[in-house]
């Protein structure tokens, strides 16, 4: 009888839902120790109307801590939320190999540019349907900068490392900015084991910035997934992300980078070596991947290889494995005036010298029990003749 069940008031308190992709890395070598890793915790009430996300990530030292605390309230059709975050971006470049005049050691120098974003923002979103919504946000942010050069001293005969030193360089002053954005979002994608396999997604966003810099950021991201023959999916993406206005090319901002694993594969930051830079100063093969604007295109044929061969039950077979044959293309550029910079870094279709980079290959993605997507790409970057085919590991799902 239902009269035997006890009745209690609803408790709207937050409880822990799950822990996302925890990681821990500890290492030591002749230069010192290293620690990194992080995790995210997601909380909600019993009905999912109130949600709290917390994230902490460390990538080597106190300067490289990223943290996020975000709260959203979905109890009504008009959703709202607030967020406080610190995010650190680390990029860099290479200098030509030199020789130390005092010791005779070869000096391999790497520039490291750190940008730390701190922000407080609020967001409201109104869904027109289950798959389409409009979003508005506003907030303030502080951007600080830290530049350094790391020098590795090598034995001139064996090339074995002798010592390492890090020297701080002059950095720009911090920026204080006010930001707002408006976006139209659509997403009816149906996910497989490691990436979407049906439907489409798009995001159209415009975000003005005022204060220490004046600019407008625009995003146009279109993704389409069709399955002409089960279980094969053709996935396509066209993405433009750019900053426009007087502050768009300000050198204090961390530039957009094409080589992240989720964008153009085969050009990852850590895969470059000094030999690819040549002897003319700078590193054109690497520097051409940066800009204030980028245009990216991806095409992939993805399918479950075990399921396609009938090895096991279900769509994916006896292992949660996905395979893809892909082609990536990307172009990064700036709007600098060549009369003042000496280099025309505009896109080739705007009369500049910047041209696209391409890559192609085969990818495998394995779902690690829902905790992470482990990817292995066998990729050929066409604009890196000294690199050629190589393996690239990732921890991101398919686009």
């Amino acid at each position: 009888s239902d009269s035997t069940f006890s009745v209690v008031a609803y408790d709207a308190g937050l409880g822990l839902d799950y822990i996302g992709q925890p990681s821990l890395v500890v290492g030591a070598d002749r230069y010192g120790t290293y620690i990194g890793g992080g995790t995210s915790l997601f909380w909600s009430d019993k009905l999912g109307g109130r949600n709290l996300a917390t994230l902490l990530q460390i990538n080597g030292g106190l300067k490289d801590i990223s943290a996020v605390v975000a709260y959203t309230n979905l109890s009504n059709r008009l959703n709202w939320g607030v967020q406080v975050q610190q995010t650190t971006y680390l990029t860099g470049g290479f200098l030509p190999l030199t020789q130390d005049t005092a010791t005779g050691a070869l000096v391999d120098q790497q520039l490291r540019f750190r940008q730390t974003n701190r922000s407080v923002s609020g967001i409201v979103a109104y869904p027109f349907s289950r798959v389409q919504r409009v979003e508005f946000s506003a907030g303030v942010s502080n951007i600080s900068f830290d530049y350094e050069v790391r020098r590795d001293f090598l034995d001139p005969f064996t090339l074995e490392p002798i010592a390492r030193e890090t020297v701080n360089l002059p950095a720009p002053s911090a920026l204080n900015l006010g930001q707002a954005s408006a976006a139209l979002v659509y997403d009816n994608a149906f996910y497989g084991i490691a990436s979407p396999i049906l439907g489409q997604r798009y995001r159209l966003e415009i975000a003005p910035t005022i204060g220490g810099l004046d600019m407008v950021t625009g995003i146009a991201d279109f993704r389409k997934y069709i399955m002409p023959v089960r279980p094969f999916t053709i996935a396509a993406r066209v993405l433009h992300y750019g900053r426009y206005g007087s502050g768009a090319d300000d050198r204090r901002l961390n530039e957009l980078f094409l080589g992240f694993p989720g964008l153009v594969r085969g050009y990852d930051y850590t895969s470059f070596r000094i030999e690819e830079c040549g002897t003319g100063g700078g590193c054109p093969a690497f520097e051409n991947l940066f800009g204030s604007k980028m245009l990216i295109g991806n095409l992939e044929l993805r399918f479950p290889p075990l399921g396609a061969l009938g090895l096991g039950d279900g769509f994916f077979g006896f292992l949660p494995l996905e395979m893809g044959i892909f082609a990536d293309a990307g172009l990064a550029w700036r709007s600098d005036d060549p009369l003042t910079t000496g280099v025309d870094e505009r896109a080739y279709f705007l009369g500049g010298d910047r041209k696209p980079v391409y890559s192609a290959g085969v990818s495998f993605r394995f779902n690690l029990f829902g905790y992470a997507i482990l990817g292995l790409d066998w990729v050929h970057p066409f604009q890196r003749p000294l690199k050629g085919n190589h393996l690239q590991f990732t921890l991101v799902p398919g686009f």
Side-chain angles (χ1 to χ4, degrees), residues 55-370:
L55 178 147
L56 177 66
Q57 181 173 320
I58 303 175
N59 289 317
L62 296 179
K63 291 183 178 180
D64 299 304
I65 291 179
S66 295
V68 177
V69 177
Y71 173 83
T72 56
N73 190 311
L74 313 178
S75 301
N76 301 301
R77 186 165 187 174
L78 182 65
N79 307 154
W80 62 272
V82 293
Q83 177 175 278
V84 180
Q85 71 171 344
Q86 172 177 299
T87 308
T88 302
Y89 302 95
L90 185 64
T91 60
F94 298 92
L95 294 175
L97 199 65
T98 60
Q99 189 167 26
D100 185 68
T101 55
T103 63
L106 297 178
V107 185
D108 187 4
Q109 301 183 87
Q110 182 183 22
L111 296 172
R112 294 158 63 88
F113 306 132
R114 183 181 292 103
Q115 175 183 315
T116 303
N117 291 14
R118 302 176 181 90
S119 66
V120 179
S121 61
I123 184 173
V124 294
Y126 186 84
F128 300 121
S129 66
R130 290 180 178 270
V131 298
Q132 189 177 48
R133 68 183 183 272
V134 63
E135 295 178 357
F136 301 95
S137 69
V140 294
S141 65
N142 170 270
I143 303 177
S144 60
F145 307 92
D146 181 73
Y147 294 172
E148 62 187 26
V149 58
R150 189 178 69 185
R151 299 191 178 104
D152 288 322
F153 295 87
L154 311 176
D155 186 284
F157 301 103
T158 65
L159 298 183
E160 291 292 323
I162 301 173
R164 170 181 289 178
E165 68 176 11
T166 301
V167 179
N168 292 323
L169 301 175
S173 56
L175 293 171
N176 295 304
L177 306 171
Q179 298 171 308
S181 71
L184 177 65
V185 184
Y186 183 95
D187 188 350
N188 72 345
F190 179 80
Y191 277 76
I193 201 70
S195 57
I197 58 176
L198 277 174
Q200 69 174 352
R201 309 169 69 189
Y202 66 74
R203 183 180 186 90
L204 302 174
E205 180 176 342
I206 185 169
T209 299
I210 60 174
L213 292 176
D214 293 322
M215 64 181 182
V216 176
T217 301
I219 300 175
D221 187 349
F222 296 88
R223 311 180 190 196
K224 184 72 174 180
Y225 315 98
I226 61 175
M227 187 179 292
V229 178
R230 179 184 173 95
F232 296 91
T233 292
I234 298 175
R237 174 176 66 179
V238 177
L239 167 65
H240 173 59
Y241 183 8
R243 299 195 291 252
Y244 296 88
S246 60
D249 293 289
D250 193 291
R251 300 294 177 162
R252 290 173 292 180
L253 290 178
N254 197 64
E255 292 191 294
L256 308 179
F257 179 57
L258 291 178
F260 289 118
L263 299 177
V264 181
R265 284 161 281 195
Y267 296 87
D268 186 72
Y269 168 76
T270 59
S271 69
F272 278 83
R273 295 294 179 264
I274 191 67
E275 293 81 8
E276 297 184 67
C277 296
T279 58
C283 191
F286 183 69
E287 294 165 359
N288 287 341
L289 303 175
F290 292 89
S292 60
K293 305 163 186 65
M294 65 181 181
L295 180 63
I296 292 171
N298 308 97
L299 185 64
E300 183 171 296
L301 175 66
R302 57 181 60 146
F303 56 94
L306 302 179
L309 295 173
L311 301 178
D313 298 329
F315 187 83
F316 291 96
F318 67 89
L319 283 177
L321 177 66
E322 178 184 86
M323 180 178 177
I325 302 171
F326 67 86
D328 297 338
L331 172 65
W333 73 95
R334 306 181 181 94
S335 55
D336 289 344
D337 184 351
L339 297 178
T340 59
T341 64
V343 178
D344 193 340
E345 296 176 312
R346 296 173 297 177
Y348 72 96
F349 54 78
L350 298 175
D353 299 325
R354 283 289 186 94
K355 295 182 180 180
V357 296
Y358 304 95
S359 65
V362 179
S363 67
F364 294 90
R365 302 186 188 98
F366 186 81
N367 190 309
L368 293 174
F369 311 107

